[in-house]
């Protein structure tokens, strides 16, 4: 799989750390090599991922799009180091994560990646500021301290929740709750953000608000995003769409970075490809 016209990385973005051996700045931030994942069940083996190789450039917004059961979530879990492949390698900033100890892999994941899931996983008793600051609290840092408080405020502003800081999740709409989850995932400024159907439970307009927020993290911060979706309207926000089918990457559609996220060009390309 080749990279097609990835956007220029934002020089202000977190450095990728791949330059240690003099590697060029365009080294993939994320790479998969011949990944497979089999689930062994009594009497059958499910081949959820069947040999996926891909590269994601720093600052790129990539969508993995495909129907239910095609292996998108399994692939995202492997790419994000939440699950181990049956065979193949995942390289995060050039580092093969499968060769790290569990402890080192956990640290790398915590420091370099963020996740947004379909279910928001907010803590009901904490307000917006406290939920967004949770990664710092878990790491033993004081989220009210100067620099961290600024980061929390910036993340809340980016998802346009300024003014709702003291609301608890049950005092927010579904879309607002998901925006809190996005803010929590980006507050640590991870190099790579993974999102699995982050708009899945939301109505169309609310879903667009989440996608706008994700897209802004790309544009404003040079954030790299890998988004899983079955929805062409969501995938149309990406710079590049990888079409997933039956555990493989079936096709790749380069959309380029566009201010207009209309799905028509993507739908036309999918139709051309017979998808
Ligand atoms: N823990 C598991 N044990 C056994 N089979 C699994 C497991 N997780 C996923 N599968 C199977 O692997 C295949 C891919 O599942 P996956 O969840 O990755 O699909 P998906 O593309 O994310 O689907 P959806 O759009 O419905 O979320 C499916 O056939 C599924 O039944
Ligand atoms: Mg899924």
């Amino acid at each position: 799989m080749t990279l097609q016209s990835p956007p220029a990385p934002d020089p202000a973005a977190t450095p990728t750390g791949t330059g240690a051996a003099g590697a060029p700045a365009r080294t993939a931030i994320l790479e998969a090599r011949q990944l497979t994942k089999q689930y062994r069940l009594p009497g059958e083996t499910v081949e959820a991922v069947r040999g996926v190789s891909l590269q994601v450039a720093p600052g790129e917004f990539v969508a993995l799009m495909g129907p239910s059961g095609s292996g998108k979530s399994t692939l995202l879990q492997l790419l994000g180091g939440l699950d181990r492949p049956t065979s193949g390698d995942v390289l995060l900033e050039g580092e093969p994560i499968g060769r790290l100890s569990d402890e080192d892999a956990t640290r790398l994941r915590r420091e370099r990646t963020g996740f947004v899931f379909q279910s928001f996983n907010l803590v009901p008793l904490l307000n917006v500021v406290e939920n967004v600051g949770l990664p710092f609290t878990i790491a033993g840092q004081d989220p009210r301290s100067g620099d961290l408080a600024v980061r929390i405020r910036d993340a809340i502003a980016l998802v346009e929740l300024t003014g709702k800081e003291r609301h608890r999740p049950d005092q927010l709409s579904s879309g607002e709750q998901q925006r809190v989850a996005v803010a929590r995932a980006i507050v640590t400024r991870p190099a790579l953000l993974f999102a699995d159907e982050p708009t899945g439970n939301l109505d169309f307009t609310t879903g667009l608000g989440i996608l706008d927020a994700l897209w802004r993290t790309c544009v404003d911060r040079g954030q790299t995003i890998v988004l899983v979706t079955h929805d062409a309207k969501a995938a149309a926000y990406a710079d590049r769409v990888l079409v997933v089918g039956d555990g493989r990457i079936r096709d790749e559609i380069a959309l380029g970075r566009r201010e207009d996220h209309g799905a028509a060009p993507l739908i036309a390309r999918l139709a051309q490809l017979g998808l």
Side-chain angles (χ1 to χ4, degrees), residues 103-114 135 138-139 188 190:
E103 195 184 319
D104 286 346
T106 302
R107 185 175 329 114
L108 186 68
R109 196 171 65 231
R110 196 185 296 145
E111 290 176 358
R112 308 301 291 154
T113 65
I138 288 170
T188 55

Side-chain angles (χ1 to χ4, degrees), residues 13-272:
T14 316
T16 65
T18 47
R26 302 307 281 256
T27 303
I29 188 170
L30 178 70
E31 181 174 357
R33 293 184 183 160
Q34 283 304 317
L35 280 185
T36 73
K37 180 70 180 181
Q38 296 165 358
Y39 292 111
R40 289 183 208 291
L41 303 175
E44 71 163 321
T45 299
V46 178
E47 293 193 54
V49 176
R50 303 171 186 244
V52 167
S53 297
L54 58 84
Q55 294 191 335
V56 177
E60 204 182 7
F61 187 158
V62 172
L64 301 172
M65 183 188 161
S68 180
S70 57
K72 305 179 299 294
S73 294
T74 305
L75 180 55
L76 198 76
Q77 305 263 328
L78 300 179
L79 293 174
L82 294 176
D83 199 358
R84 287 189 184 256
T86 305
S87 65
D89 284 315
V90 174
L91 286 79
L92 179 57
E93 298 177 329
E95 182 99 56
I97 55 177
R99 296 195 206 140
L100 299 175
S101 67
D102 281 349
E103 195 184 319
D104 286 346
T106 302
R107 185 175 329 114
L108 186 68
R109 196 171 65 231
R110 196 185 296 145
E111 290 176 358
R112 308 301 291 154
T113 65
F115 284 85
V116 183
F117 297 103
Q118 186 168 358
S119 54
F120 321 137
N121 298 328
L122 301 179
V123 180
L125 290 177
L126 301 184
N127 68 28
V128 168
V129 172
E130 292 160 342
N131 264 293
V132 173
L134 205 55
F136 299 132
T137 310
I138 288 170
Q141 296 169 292
D142 180 2
R144 286 162 303 184
S145 74
D147 175 44
L148 301 186
V150 171
R151 285 198 191 195
I152 292 168
R153 198 184 57 211
D154 287 352
I156 290 171
L158 196 78
V159 299
E160 295 182 343
L161 283 177
T162 305
K164 301 260 164 119
E165 288 86 348
R166 303 291 151 203
H167 288 230
R168 289 193 318 267
D170 65 350
Q171 298 164 333
L172 295 168
S173 73
S174 305
E176 288 168 341
Q177 289 179 51
Q178 185 62 305
R179 274 162 27 218
V180 177
V182 171
R184 187 184 53 189
I186 62 167
V187 78
T188 55
R189 311 226 168 126
L192 242 178
L193 185 70
F194 295 98
D196 192 348
E197 303 276 12
T199 60
N201 281 328
L202 305 173
D203 65 70
F204 177 66
T205 314
T206 311
L208 290 187
I210 304 300
L211 291 162
D212 282 332
L214 287 172
W215 191 77
R216 265 197 311 275
T217 69
C218 253
V219 174
D220 294 356
R221 295 183 164 192
Q223 175 82 67
T224 311
I225 299 185
V226 181
L227 166 78
V228 157
T229 183
H230 63 272
D231 183 357
K233 290 192 279 305
Y237 277 72
D239 304 317
R240 188 160 58 106
V241 179
L242 303 179
V243 182
V244 181
D246 204 17
R248 297 180 219 272
I249 307 281
R250 295 289 179 193
D251 262 298
E252 174 175 347
I253 299 169
L255 296 171
R257 184 148 298 177
R258 303 165 305 145
E259 285 291 328
D260 163 18
H261 308 295
L266 175 59
I267 290 169
R269 285 284 288 134
L270 290 167
Q272 267 174 7

